[in-house]
Amino acid sequence: MTDVIDEGALRQLYDDFAAASLKPLWTEIGNLQPEFPQPDALPHRWAWADLLPLAERAGDLVPVGRGGERRAIALANPGLGGQPFATPTLWAAIQYLGAGEVAPSHRHAQGAFRFVVRGEAVWTVVNGDPVQMRAGDLLLTPSWHWHGHHHVGDEPMAWLDGLAIPLVKKLDASFFEFGDDGIEDKATPEQSRSERLWAHAGRRPLSALENKPNSPLMAYRWADTDAALAAQLELEDEGYPGVYEPGHAALRFTNPMTGGDALPTLRTEMHRLRAGTTTSTQRSTGSAVWQTFRGRGTAELAGQRFELAEGDLITVPAWAPLRFTAQTQLDLFTFNDHRILEVLNLARGGTEPVRP
Ligand code: 1HN
């Protein structure tokens, strides 16, 4: 290399790189390989009190049916350039279905879940199995399972949808197929067939010994979740182990076949804080969405403070330190992409202080 750089020749070199569809590393490396994660996604809060009236207006103005498929309104993280993504890997939306409405059946490569804040008037039919959606329940629609929703009550219902849409888009692994326009069988059983077979913790049917990546259990009911969280805190009162950290009960929704995550692309958990508890501060690679189910509190997230009321949602970008304080008993649902990071051996993090 010569000592004196010929600026004109250098500019010409860069122009020729561009014309040949090439890009040198040395001008890009800071962006490509930062010392620690530098996400574009921002910490952000969506208040349920803002989301619900907007969803109701959509309910008045926008029909639900074939083509649009779902009256789902996505959280668009303000750091992600207007894309309908909560984080670089996670889709989160409020979906709204009015009395008597039907969301037509379809299936797609992206696995999905629903988490219900209020109501119990909708059945989601998953591969022909009608599953009631009630407040506090986590309902699964694993990859490539047919699903449509039908509303049988008088009051409209809104819930949270989570999918790994951005991840699957990035991986160019999306497939989609339309099903029947209506729902033939509008049965409304109290228990789905999947629950009758699989909702028996620690008891595996001998007819199903082969592990599958998706949970065969389509509904994780609030009554069971509530009892499991309550038991952790009761045991803490009695001086026995089992609670996640002081004043903080937590559980993960798992595939009863494997004990692993209920869905391969989305980790789902429920947390309960006693009134007055502050959690440890944690941060990790990967991103997350949290939703308040019941109670009030605050999230301190990357130096910002967000008040949380019932139904409120926050997005947690990679490596952003997060802790919660509960004003009342606080029940929080969360989903994240941490399992993907684990599979790829990219999971890092834990409690503060964690220096990169
Ligand atoms: C979907 O199928 C549902 O089934 C909700 O309720 C949201 C977002 C993108 C693609 C498919 C549903 C969706 C979705």
Side-chain angles (χ1 to χ4, degrees):
M1 200 180 138
T2 49
D3 285 346
V4 183
I5 292 171
D6 180 339
E7 292 291 340
L10 191 59
R11 227 171 297 123
Q12 186 61 53
L13 177 64
Y14 287 141
D15 288 350
D16 291 347
F17 280 157
S21 301
L22 297 169
K23 202 111 199 192
L25 172 64
W26 58 87
T27 62
E28 301 289 323
I29 191 160
N31 285 333
L32 296 176
Q33 296 187 301
E35 286 177 69
F36 50 87
Q38 303 278 0
D40 293 326
L42 294 171
H44 195 77
R45 183 192 65 139
W46 290 259
W48 194 249
D50 297 328
L51 292 174
L52 192 58
L54 290 166
E56 284 167 352
R57 283 165 61 192
D60 289 339
L61 295 170
V62 184
V64 63
R66 190 91 292 162
E69 301 295 292
R70 300 294 185 255
R71 195 187 286 113
I73 306 152
L75 308 187
N77 189 298
L80 295 178
Q83 298 181 99
F85 303 154
T87 78
T89 53
L90 305 173
W91 162 286
I94 176 172
Q95 181 167 167
Y96 186 88
L97 209 57
E101 286 187 324
V102 171
S105 184
H106 64 212
R107 62 178 177 175
H108 37 72
Q110 297 89 351
F113 70 78
R114 336 268 155 220
F115 180 73
V116 183
V117 179
R118 280 211 171 273
E120 52 179 26
V122 172
W123 268 255
T124 181
V125 183
V126 182
N127 273 357
D129 188 10
V131 185
Q132 188 178 10
M133 298 172 55
R134 300 189 292 251
D137 294 348
L138 175 72
L139 301 315
L140 302 188
T141 310
S143 172
W144 214 237
H145 283 47
W146 294 108
H147 56 285
H149 320 308
H150 63 105
H151 190 301
V152 300
D154 302 322
E155 289 297 312
M157 192 165 135
W159 64 85
L160 172 70
D161 288 317
L163 297 91
I165 299 249
L167 176 74
V168 175
K169 179 166 169 51
K170 203 67 172 171
L171 295 172
D172 281 334
S174 184
F175 294 87
F176 183 95
E177 195 177 348
F178 293 118
D180 297 333
D181 282 355
I183 288 188
E184 303 269 302
D185 181 4
K186 288 203 181 164
T188 56
E190 201 172 310
Q191 253 201 330
S192 63
R193 293 192 290 274
S194 85
E195 289 166 273
R196 289 163 63 193
L197 194 57
W198 283 102
H200 312 286
R203 291 163 188 82
R204 182 170 176 159
L206 286 193
S207 57
L209 287 179
E210 191 192 334
N211 281 349
K212 299 271 168 59
N214 293 304
S215 171
L217 181 62
M218 297 301 133
Y220 296 74
R221 297 296 177 191
W222 175 244
D224 302 321
T225 304
D226 182 37
L229 294 169
Q232 288 188 19
L233 294 178
E234 284 161 19
L235 288 166
E236 184 185 34
D237 283 336
E238 295 164 24
Y240 291 101
V243 82
Y244 178 58
E245 61 179 352
H248 179 180
L251 58 82
R252 184 167 297 163
F253 297 99
T254 57
N255 176 342
M257 285 189 167
T258 63
D261 286 276
L263 293 167
T265 49
L266 301 169
R267 173 160 292 164
T268 48
E269 294 175 351
M270 187 65 106
H271 293 243
R272 170 170 293 169
L273 309 184
R274 289 184 202 274
T277 299
T278 296
T279 65
S280 58
T281 302
Q282 303 214 357
R283 67 170 168 184
S284 66
T285 51
S287 56
V289 175
W290 290 74
Q291 184 175 37
T292 310
F293 174 56
R294 294 286 181 261
R296 274 175 294 110
T298 50
E300 287 161 84
L301 176 57
Q304 293 184 57
R305 223 179 123 83
F306 298 104
E307 300 298 326
L308 297 175
E310 193 174 297
D312 292 357
L313 294 131
I314 56 167
T315 44
V316 182
W319 218 236
L322 170 67
R323 73 172 184 179
F324 293 99
T325 299
Q327 235 171 298
T328 64
Q329 176 169 290
L330 183 61
D331 288 341
L332 299 162
F333 171 75
T334 183
F335 71 105
N336 63 54
D337 59 6
H338 297 174
R339 184 184 134 86
I340 305 289
L341 281 291
E342 286 173 7
V343 167
L344 301 177
N345 198 28
L346 292 169
R348 273 216 216 187
T351 50
E352 284 275 82
V354 195
R355 288 311 307 164

